[in-house]
Amino acid sequence: MPYFSDLEEKIHFMVLEVNRQLDDTQKIIQDPKPDLVDKVKSRDDRIDNYKAIIENLCFSRIHGEENLTKKQVDFIRATNIISNNLEKISDFSVYVVDQLNYLSSIEYLHNYNYQSFFQHLSSSLDIVVQGLFTRDLNHALNICRTEFVIDKLFKRVFDQIIEELDSAENKQNIITCLFIFRYLERMGDAMLNIGEAIIFSVFGEKLKIHQYQALVENLDSINNDISIKDVGFESIWESRSGCRIGKVMDSSREGTQAVLFKEGKAGKISREKENIETWKRIFPSLVPKVFSYTQSRNSASMLLEFLPGCSLQEAVLSQDRDTLENALFILKETLSFIWKDTLKNKQVNSGFMNQLAQRIDDVLMIHPEFNFSQASIGSLMTPSLEEVIRILREVESELKAPFCIFIHGDFNTNNIIYNQKEQQIYFIDLHRSCYGDYVQDVSVFLVSNYRKPVFDAGVRRLTNRLNQDFFNFSRRFAAENADETFDARLAMGLIRSFFTSTRFELNQEFALGMYQRALYLAEKIIAHRGNPWREFAMPPDVFKYSSF
Amino acid sequence: MSEEKKFFLESLQDRETICKYLDALKEGFQQGRINLSSNEQTLDIVPSGLIKFTIKGKRKDGEIKLNLRFRWADDDNLTDFDESWNDKMENDSRDG
């Protein structure tokens, strides 16, 4: 990329300086000569300077007048990340040298294999420039692997130190050695960041090395003949649950179908895969196909069919009334089928209050003022939050769903895709699907419409209508199936969803509105205690937004 | 300056539950004492003497506001004022 010759030149020099820094640090460990120590320290200043210059160049180019392509911006960003991490390596070298002063004899350090650390770090640094300039994924991967190797080397030294610690005469020496190796290990971490920065410059997306490897493995397993370099990766979103989701395309061929790559914790991904299989048996066209699945110790990933269409939420936001009406019609048809088909005459606990209890600390961390004590206005007493939740837990133990249904489990309108051409609804994000209380899906659906921080009157009118319509539909189903406590359970579900949704909402007024709705319903439920739950009537309008 | 004491409670209610709060206030006015308390603050107020009562209603942009406001002089402050007045009067009479 000759366009950035100034930047390339500086990063090239910086890499060379850091390599010399490593080389001299190793020499000092072999034979600590004071002039060499001075050299390492003054070189560190120079390296700091390089970092500052590169940062200036990067930011001035990005914010300059020229119209840079995304690829050029990605290169600049990668270069800046690399420069930051090179500077860290240089700092760690200085720390290592400083630590040597605490050893009564340098010989102590010679008991351990420090040479291999330097050897791996140095050969990794040798390929950084070429890897970055030629966008070479193999080099990037080799750089990333250095961290893995360094970690193994560190583990060996660590075990040796722990073993020797008991019998060591001078414990300060041995602990100092541990500190020194810890800095060498952290240099490995910096190398990993450098490798990942190169991967970023190639893909234009921040992929962790294990995510990249999982992607390659998945593509290999479906006998795809495309080269990984031709794969276009477009991040769809990084969900709150920590899964990485991206759209993968073959950028070398036009018209090829995209697939979805999903990577995350093994438990979650494998559960989703199993749930997709269950959904396939119930309603084959409702969920995406799984093309491949791979699992390592802690994480798993899969390639899924990319389902074309828009989410129900997008349909609401675009205020396309026709689309929304069609989508809602098909959604209700689909749900009618699923709810009837999977209904099992087995009572089930809704579990809303457990879900609330698990998230209460997160809510109060963001909104500490939501925690309230008991209050009184003359003779009228209002209970504390803790007391409200305790009573609601008791209520929930009296309130069981009369039957269970195979539910989505996270039925917010983002997870419902509508394909207008095929007149079809799809469900996505299925790791929470299970046989449970369908009221959970209903309450999550209603609150997901409410909690979108959009205050446009037109959009709000539409969501209010959508919610009313969906509520009527669900309530009709309840009546047809003799579900007498639907309203009371829905109130509990709404309490849970309104309350916990505030943990993602920093707009104080909007969050307060949701929180007050939760408490309003809680007061209604508490006041109703002692009467039959079938007589509880859902207060109208509670899931409709109003701006006062 | 005297210490400011505040009690604040805001919630969503409906017609039925609003009445519970109004009843509690009504009862307080009848008894001549309203206790407002939470863990943070306790405010014991004694409505007495003349009370300025304002009702303000407003309808604007699809929102309706109804303000009820009760204001009166705090008894404690009144007593202080009375005592100083009385002291002064006694002194004046002695002088006379």
Side-chain angles (χ1 to χ4, degrees):
Chain A
M1 214 174 271
Y3 190 68
F4 294 116
S5 53
D6 48 354
L7 199 53
E8 286 185 4
E9 190 186 276
K10 294 287 179 294
I11 195 81
H12 202 151
F13 277 125
M14 190 177 182
V15 170
L16 291 174
E17 289 281 26
V18 173
N19 223 344
R20 278 185 212 121
Q21 192 77 324
L22 282 180
D23 202 31
D24 283 347
T25 307
Q26 189 179 4
K27 280 184 191 153
I28 292 169
I29 293 174
Q30 277 152 3
D31 181 13
K33 287 185 181 148
D35 58 327
L36 216 48
V37 170
D38 290 344
K39 218 170 161 184
V40 163
K41 293 196 173 169
S42 60
R43 191 185 287 115
D44 185 51
D45 293 339
R46 226 163 37 238
I47 289 169
D48 278 358
N49 214 16
Y50 268 119
K51 184 196 158 198
I53 293 169
I54 288 171
E55 195 173 279
N56 284 339
L57 278 173
C58 289
F59 282 83
S60 61
R61 290 306 284 263
I62 284 180
H63 293 292
E65 307 241 313
E66 51 195 331
N67 276 329
L68 298 174
T69 61
K70 181 170 185 308
K71 215 168 236 177
Q72 286 172 323
V73 173
D74 291 344
F75 172 81
I76 295 175
R77 285 174 63 184
T79 307
N80 195 39
I81 296 169
I82 292 171
S83 143
N84 283 333
N85 282 284
L86 287 171
E87 193 255 343
K88 267 193 204 166
I89 294 176
S90 174
D91 281 348
F92 293 144
S93 299
V94 175
Y95 301 157
V96 166
V97 170
D98 283 343
Q99 284 292 321
L100 297 178
N101 294 326
Y102 299 101
L103 290 173
S104 59
S105 160
I106 195 74
E107 297 298 321
Y108 276 102
L109 204 51
H110 297 169
N111 288 330
Y112 309 99
N113 175 11
Y114 62 90
Q115 296 91 338
S116 295
F117 285 82
F118 287 98
Q119 195 191 323
H120 283 283
L121 288 165
S122 180
S123 50
S124 197
L125 276 177
D126 283 342
I127 54 173
V128 166
V129 171
Q130 205 192 347
L132 175 68
F133 292 179
T134 61
R135 305 171 71 237
D136 188 322
L137 276 173
N138 278 333
H139 280 348
L141 287 175
N142 281 328
I143 295 167
C144 290
R145 269 185 215 118
T146 306
E147 192 251 0
F148 179 75
V149 175
I150 297 268
D151 274 359
K152 286 213 148 173
L153 289 172
F154 177 71
K155 174 77 170 68
R156 220 174 288 161
V157 171
F158 180 81
D159 290 345
Q160 191 183 339
I161 286 176
I162 293 295
E163 210 181 293
E164 289 167 1
L165 199 57
D166 273 345
S167 54
E169 282 174 17
N170 187 334
K171 290 198 169 41
Q172 178 173 325
N173 279 328
I174 206 158
I175 294 209
T176 304
C177 288
L178 180 62
F179 285 160
I180 289 170
F181 281 102
R182 180 79 177 138
Y183 285 127
L184 295 178
E185 186 266 337
R186 290 181 67 185
M187 289 184 191
D189 297 342
M191 287 310 304
L192 177 66
N193 292 339
I194 291 174
E196 287 178 346
I198 298 176
I199 295 179
F200 166 74
S201 79
V202 177
F203 279 109
E205 284 290 341
K206 288 207 168 180
L207 275 183
K208 293 271 167 208
I209 179 68
H210 69 274
Q211 291 168 333
Y212 169 80
Q213 281 168 332
L215 176 61
V216 175
E217 224 172 291
N218 274 292
L219 286 171
D220 280 353
S221 71
I222 56 170
N223 292 323
N224 201 315
D225 59 351
I226 54 168
S227 142
I228 188 69
K229 269 192 105 168
D230 292 328
V231 164
F233 188 90
E234 182 189 311
S235 211
I236 304 252
W237 64 81
E238 280 174 72
S239 66
R240 284 163 182 151
S241 56
C243 283
R244 189 67 203 263
I245 304 167
K247 188 177 167 188
V248 181
M249 296 140 291
D250 180 355
S251 50
S252 68
R253 281 178 289 182
E254 271 183 42
T256 47
Q257 210 197 331
V259 286
L260 206 71
F261 171 69
K262 191 163 184 177
E263 193 268 352
K265 281 190 180 150
K268 195 174 271 184
I269 301 285
S270 69
R271 231 173 8 253
E272 174 153 22
K273 182 178 164 271
E274 280 166 31
N275 287 337
I276 288 177
E277 282 156 11
T278 310
W279 278 114
K280 284 264 174 228
R281 288 193 289 274
I282 298 166
F283 203 124
S285 59
L286 186 71
V287 291
K289 290 190 188 88
V290 179
F291 293 131
S292 71
Y293 173 83
T294 59
Q295 189 174 332
S296 62
R297 201 154 36 133
N298 299 320
S299 61
S301 59
M302 53 188 171
L303 282 179
L304 297 168
E305 180 185 10
F306 181 81
L307 299 167
C310 67
S311 74
L312 207 58
Q313 189 178 81
E314 286 164 343
V316 173
L317 293 178
S318 67
Q319 297 194 55
D320 182 347
R321 201 164 286 221
D322 284 345
T323 306
L324 190 61
E325 271 174 24
N326 283 337
L328 186 61
F329 175 78
I330 296 173
L331 174 67
K332 289 189 288 187
E333 291 280 293
T334 309
L335 283 177
S336 293
F337 173 83
I338 294 166
W339 288 357
K340 275 178 202 144
D341 192 58
T342 66
L343 188 147
K344 284 185 184 173
N345 279 319
K346 186 184 164 213
Q347 285 196 345
V348 65
N349 273 321
S350 311
F352 296 126
M353 289 307 120
N354 266 343
Q355 294 166 3
L356 191 151
Q358 279 166 21
R359 293 160 177 89
I360 196 160
D361 288 345
D362 293 340
V363 170
L364 295 179
M365 195 171 71
I366 304 284
H367 305 288
E369 70 282 7
F370 286 0
N371 198 3
F372 56 89
S373 58
Q374 178 184 294
S376 66
I377 295 102
S379 58
L380 181 70
M381 306 284 278
T382 58
S384 65
L385 177 64
E386 203 184 333
E387 180 69 359
V388 167
I389 293 172
R390 191 193 63 74
I391 301 172
L392 292 179
R393 272 179 180 277
E394 278 180 23
V395 169
E396 193 161 68
S397 64
E398 302 162 16
L399 261 177
K400 283 198 167 122
F403 47 79
C404 62
I405 274 173
F406 198 67
I407 61 169
H408 181 288
D410 188 11
F411 203 50
N412 80 65
T413 45
N414 244 345
N415 290 333
I416 304 163
I417 306 287
Y418 170 57
N419 183 333
Q420 195 162 19
K421 207 168 120 202
E422 306 286 335
Q423 284 297 297
Q424 169 117 33
I425 283 284
Y426 304 113
F427 287 178
I428 58 167
D429 212 0
L430 299 153
H431 69 273
R432 290 210 182 99
S433 295
C434 62
Y435 273 95
D437 184 358
Y438 68 109
V439 164
Q440 176 172 334
D441 276 0
V442 178
S443 55
V444 168
F445 181 95
L446 296 173
V447 174
S448 79
N449 279 320
Y450 186 99
R451 75 176 181 198
K452 193 81 197 148
V454 175
F455 307 106
D456 175 86
V459 173
R460 280 298 172 182
R461 262 196 303 276
L462 216 53
T463 41
N464 286 349
R465 269 189 50 190
L466 174 65
N467 270 356
Q468 186 62 52
D469 194 282
F470 193 74
F471 169 70
N472 293 344
F473 157 77
S474 315
R475 203 188 217 181
R476 203 162 45 244
F477 175 84
E480 285 164 7
N481 291 278
D483 178 2
E484 292 182 322
T485 58
F486 171 84
D487 276 25
R489 287 185 349 266
L490 183 60
M492 298 290 276
L494 291 174
I495 292 170
R496 176 265 196 240
S497 290
F498 272 129
F499 190 79
T500 59
S501 291
T502 61
R503 72 194 195 281
F504 301 125
E505 186 51 68
L506 292 175
N507 177 335
Q508 190 57 29
E509 204 184 319
F510 189 45
L512 186 67
M514 291 196 277
Y515 162 79
Q516 288 179 338
R517 278 175 151 71
L519 286 184
Y520 165 69
L521 286 170
E523 275 187 46
K524 292 297 245 186
I525 286 276
I526 291 171
H528 190 87
R529 278 188 97 188
N531 298 305
W533 286 111
R534 64 174 183 278
E535 288 172 12
F536 181 88
M538 183 72 197
D541 301 339
V542 77
F543 41 76
K544 288 192 202 163
Y545 176 80
S546 35
S547 63
F548 59 81
Chain B
M1 237 167 65
S2 61
E3 189 201 347
E4 187 182 41
K5 281 193 164 186
K6 268 185 180 174
F7 173 87
F8 180 77
L9 186 79
E10 189 183 68
S11 60
L12 272 186
Q13 303 295 334
D14 54 32
R15 278 193 310 166
E16 184 192 338
T17 53
I18 282 287
C19 289
K20 288 198 298 183
Y21 285 84
L22 290 179
D23 284 345
L25 288 177
K26 181 182 148 195
E27 197 183 289
F29 275 112
Q30 280 168 343
Q31 291 170 357
R33 183 172 293 273
I34 305 171
N35 179 272
L36 304 170
S37 81
S38 68
N39 257 8
E40 292 83 41
Q41 195 70 264
T42 293
L43 204 57
D44 217 357
I45 54 175
V46 181
S48 62
L50 291 177
I51 297 169
K52 188 191 267 183
F53 177 41
T54 322
I55 303 182
K56 210 156 89 181
K58 195 170 149 191
R59 182 199 292 268
K60 198 188 165 193
D61 299 335
E63 185 185 327
I64 292 172
K65 230 185 225 180
L66 175 64
N67 274 324
L68 301 185
R69 195 162 80 167
F70 309 92
R71 286 176 81 174
W72 66 92
D74 197 341
D75 248 3
D76 289 348
N77 288 342
L78 257 186
T79 313
D80 291 347
F81 175 75
D82 286 347
E83 278 165 8
S84 64
W85 176 261
N86 289 340
D87 288 349
K88 198 164 182 289
M89 292 299 282
E90 279 169 30
N91 288 338
D92 285 350
S93 61
R94 267 200 299 274
D95 288 345

